[in-house]
Amino acid sequence: MNAHKICEGIHCLHADIKTAELFEGIWPIPQGVSLNAYLVRGEKTALIDLVRDWTGAPKQIEDALNSIGTSFSSIDYLVLNHLEPDHTGWLAEFREQNPGAEILSTQKGIGLVKTFYNIESGLRTVKDGDTLDLGGGKVLSFYETPNIHWPETMVTYEAESGTLFPCDAFGSFGALGGRVFDDEFDAGEHVFFEKECLRYYANIVSSFSVFVEKAIKKLEGLPVKCVAPSHGMVWRREPHTIISRYRKYAAYAKGPAEKEIAVIWGSMYGNTKRGLDAAIRGIEAEGDVPYTIRRVPDENISYILADAYRSAGILLAMPTYEYAMFPPMAYALDIFRRKHIFGKTALRIGSWGWIGGAKKEYDAAMESLKWNCLEAREWAGSPTEEDLKALEESGKELARAVKAL
Ligand code: FEO
C-alpha cells in the first residue's frame, strides 16, 4: 500500500476495511470503510490519527509509511483528533514501537488516552488555537470542535497547504480501493459515496448536528484548500462540496429535510401491506414526491435511519401486535429518538386483529419525536374497499403536506 501525496511533506496513509463485522458494533459496512491517517513532515514528523487493528490496518499504514521512507518508529508526534478506538485502537502497540513519540490531544482526549490505553507519560494537552511547529514551514494548528461526535474531538489544520484534518467530521462509509482523492472518482462513484456519506452522517453524527453547525461556523475563517478526513475520500479538488454537504445534513436535524417520503413498513399476514399499497398509490397520484421504501425487520436500521433522516415525510405502516406497536417498528422509532430524527411530517397506517393498541404507544413515541402527525388510518383485519379509498386519500394528503413544506 503506497502513501498518497497531498503536497510536499503531507501524505495520506490509507487502509481499506472490508469485513462482515459491524462498524461500532451496530452499523453494517457491506461496501467497507476507509481508515485514513496522515503524515506531515517538516524537520520533525507528525502522524495525525491512527487506526485500530482491524483487517490488517496497521500493516497497511506501515507499508504506506515505508513507501515514503519512514516508519512508525520515526514519528516525533502523534496527534489524536478523536479517541474512538477505530482511530486509536492500535495506540498501545504504536507506543511499544515508539516510546519516544509525544501524543497530543485535547484535555478530554488525553483523559481518554489514559483510561482506554493506560498511557500516563509523553502526553501533551492542546487547546484551541495552539500550534505545533514541525520546522520546514509546517505548522499544525489545533481547534477544539467538541461533540463531533465525542466530547474530546478537535481538528488539525496545516496552514501552508490549507489542509484540514477533521477526523470523523466530513467522513463517509465506503472503502476507497487504491484511490483516495475526490478527483480520482467518476460521477457514478460520487453518487455511491454521497449515499454512504449520508448513511454515515445519519448513523454516527446526526445526534450532534448542532455541534456540526458550530464547528463549520468556527472554521469558516480558515482558508481550507483540502479536507482530509479519517474516513472516506480526500477532498482536494472540491473541499467545499463535502463541507456544504455536512452543512445540509446538519440542517436536516431541524427539519424540514428533502421533499421526499420514507416509507417504512412491516406486515404480519399482508393486511397492512394491502393498505400500504393503497397509500402509495395516493403518493404516486400526487406526482413529483419521490419515496423510498424499506421493510422492518428485514432491512437494517442503518439504511432506514438514513432514509428517514433525509426525508421530510414519513409513512409508517405497521400492524398492532399484542396491544401495541409492531415491535420492529417500535425499535425503529426508538432509534429515531436516539438519533434526533426530529421535525418530520408523518402518517401512520395499519391493521389490527382483535383489538387496537398501537395508537397509545405510537402517540407516546411522537411526544418525544415531536413529529407533525396526520390523522392515522387503522382498520380491523383485511382492509375493505372503503378503507382502501380512505388510505389512498391519506397517501395523497401526506404527499401534499410534504410538497407544501
Ligand atoms: Fe471514526 Fe468516531 O470514530
Side-chain angles (χ1 to χ4, degrees), residues 7-252:
C7 65
E8 205 54 48
I10 303 185
H11 288 82
C12 172
L13 318 165
H14 153 253
D16 262 348
I17 308 300
K18 290 199 170 167
T19 174
E21 193 183 332
L22 302 172
F23 190 85
E24 288 191 335
I26 310 175
W27 316 112
I29 42 171
Q31 280 85 30
V33 67
S34 67
L35 296 181
N36 308 332
Y38 295 91
L39 187 80
V40 182
R41 268 198 290 207
E43 290 156 16
K44 298 278 191 179
T45 300
L47 184 63
I48 299 176
D49 297 329
L50 199 59
V51 293
R52 63 177 281 211
D53 191 359
W54 199 17
T55 70
K59 175 76 167 71
Q60 292 184 63
I61 300 298
E62 184 180 39
D63 288 349
L65 286 168
N66 293 164
S67 77
I68 49 172
T70 188
S71 63
F72 283 120
S73 58
S74 306
I75 302 297
D76 298 298
Y77 302 102
L78 175 62
V79 175
L80 297 177
N81 285 313
H82 173 34
L83 264 292
E84 191 165 9
D86 50 335
H87 308 289
T88 59
W90 201 66
L91 184 56
E93 292 84 348
F94 170 85
R95 194 54 185 270
E96 214 167 279
Q97 287 196 20
N98 184 340
E102 192 171 22
I103 298 170
L104 291 81
S105 192
T106 58
Q107 185 178 22
K108 285 182 177 160
I110 292 296
L112 294 171
V113 169
K114 294 176 181 174
T115 54
F116 271 73
Y117 303 105
N118 202 24
I119 293 173
E120 295 287 341
S121 61
L123 307 175
R124 189 196 300 192
T125 298
V126 296
K127 299 188 300 300
D128 214 29
D130 281 357
T131 57
L132 176 68
D133 191 345
L134 300 174
K138 294 282 186 290
V139 180
L140 301 179
S141 308
F142 308 107
Y143 298 94
E144 294 181 62
T145 51
N147 299 314
I148 308 176
H149 58 128
W150 281 26
E152 85 294 1
T153 44
M154 68 172 191
V155 301
T156 298
Y157 177 70
E158 199 286 311
E160 190 180 54
S161 62
T163 307
L164 182 71
F165 305 96
C167 197
D168 271 4
F170 310 123
S172 168
F173 288 141
L176 299 175
R179 299 159 292 166
V180 299
F181 294 109
D182 58 338
D183 48 87
E184 297 178 305
F185 295 90
D186 65 27
E189 289 169 318
H190 273 284
V191 169
F192 162 78
F193 280 106
E194 185 168 359
K195 282 188 188 149
E196 284 294 86
C197 185
L198 171 69
R199 189 167 69 90
Y200 171 89
Y201 188 98
N203 292 183
I204 310 295
V205 189
S206 61
S207 317
F208 300 90
S209 290
V210 66
F211 296 98
V212 172
E213 287 183 329
K214 276 186 189 169
I216 291 175
K217 193 159 181 46
K218 180 173 187 169
L219 301 173
E220 262 169 6
L222 290 180
V224 174
K225 295 183 194 143
C226 178
V227 175
S230 293
H231 302 295
M233 65 182 74
V234 178
W235 298 80
R236 68 178 176 188
R237 183 178 64 189
E238 294 185 16
H240 295 288
T241 294
I242 188 66
I243 296 172
S244 302
R245 191 176 289 167
Y246 262 61
R247 189 182 280 118
K248 179 174 73 173
Y249 294 165
Y252 288 167

Side-chain angles (χ1 to χ4, degrees), residues 294-317:
R294 300 215 182 256
R295 183 175 188 176
V296 292
D298 308 51
E299 295 189 66
N300 191 281
I301 192 65
S302 169
Y303 296 88
I304 294 169
L305 187 54
D307 284 354
Y309 189 64
R310 176 190 160 84
S311 304
I314 310 275
L315 170 51
L316 300 171

